[in-house]
Amino acid sequence: RRRSPAGELAKRALLSCFSGAIVAGARNLEYFRFLGFRKRPVFPGMDTISLARLRADATGGEGQPQPEFAKRPFLFVGRFVEVKNLGLLIDGYAVYCAQAGSAARRLVLLGAGPLEGELRKQAAALAVDNRIDFKGFLSGRDLAREIAGSAALVLPSASEPWGLVVNEAMALGIPVIVSETCGARDVL
């Protein structure tokens, strides 16, 4: 996205007191180098997860069965804000529903935010509101179970420094569809 020279100088000055950084991935590493970390250490690997914890949460520790694949929905996890590009997701979902007909999978939107009302209106205007589940924020076991029970994670963000939910979906064997701006795309 566009950055202002004054803003970048302010960031550089603010970060000058740090002796090193831990960042998410290659894009972040390059950006920190740009911000003055030429000789100071910068280590990738900040956005990691515990596979054992996530997998235990997804099954409830009981090996809980997931729905059959044909009944699994598409899933979005995140804030309902402009940068997440949810308007595009709903537009695309409406096209998919028109083509797939009664075989179309549901779309589950996990999260909340200032655009929720607008997104609900958009879904209604496109006649897909009866196929989209707005489930609010979930965390821990509930979130892991939702991810594990999905057909694919969709993250169409216009800007996404990393996207930790991509790590979680892939760790659970769930395919991901992410925009080119998602930082996790470069590594995972």
Side-chain angles (χ1 to χ4, degrees):
R1 67 178 191 216
R2 285 185 188 216
R3 301 184 188 281
S4 74
E8 297 305 300
L9 283 172
K11 287 178 194 176
R12 184 180 286 244
L14 183 67
L15 294 171
S16 67
C17 63
F18 293 94
S19 60
I22 301 173
V23 299
R27 291 182 200 187
N28 307 107
L29 192 141
E30 289 174 24
Y31 186 51
F32 267 71
R33 294 278 185 238
F34 168 76
L35 291 173
F37 282 73
R38 300 262 181 239
K39 294 183 180 177
R40 293 177 280 172
V42 181
F43 301 103
M46 177 186 79
D47 285 325
T48 60
I49 58 173
S50 165
L51 296 178
R53 179 204 48 85
L54 180 69
R55 290 174 180 160
D57 284 351
T59 62
E62 306 150 4
Q64 191 175 24
Q66 294 298 333
E68 64 180 82
F69 187 74
K71 293 182 180 178
R72 293 179 177 200
F74 294 118
L75 177 68
F76 166 84
V77 180
R79 295 172 295 125
F80 297 170
V81 293
E82 199 68 42
V83 74
K84 296 297 184 176
N85 225 357
L86 287 168
L88 176 69
L89 176 58
I90 292 174
D91 284 343
Y93 181 69
V95 170
Y96 159 73
C97 286
Q99 292 176 357
S102 62
R105 295 174 186 276
R106 297 189 68 74
L107 174 61
V108 173
L109 303 178
L110 294 182
L115 295 182
E116 184 169 345
E118 186 178 316
L119 295 170
R120 287 179 182 272
K121 286 178 188 174
Q122 178 185 358
L126 294 169
V128 293
D129 55 324
N130 62 335
R131 295 175 179 238
I132 298 177
D133 300 319
F134 289 81
K135 291 192 172 183
F137 278 110
L138 296 178
S139 61
R141 286 186 176 159
D142 294 330
L143 175 59
R145 287 179 184 156
E146 284 287 337
I147 294 170
S150 67
L153 172 76
V154 183
L155 196 62
S157 302
S159 175
E160 189 75 54
W162 186 260
L164 194 59
V165 70
V166 174
N167 297 48
E168 294 170 329
M170 293 183 76
L172 294 171
I174 302 302
V176 297
I177 303 168
V178 300
S179 64
E180 289 187 10
T181 62
C182 182
R185 180 182 180 273
D186 297 340
V187 177
L188 303 178

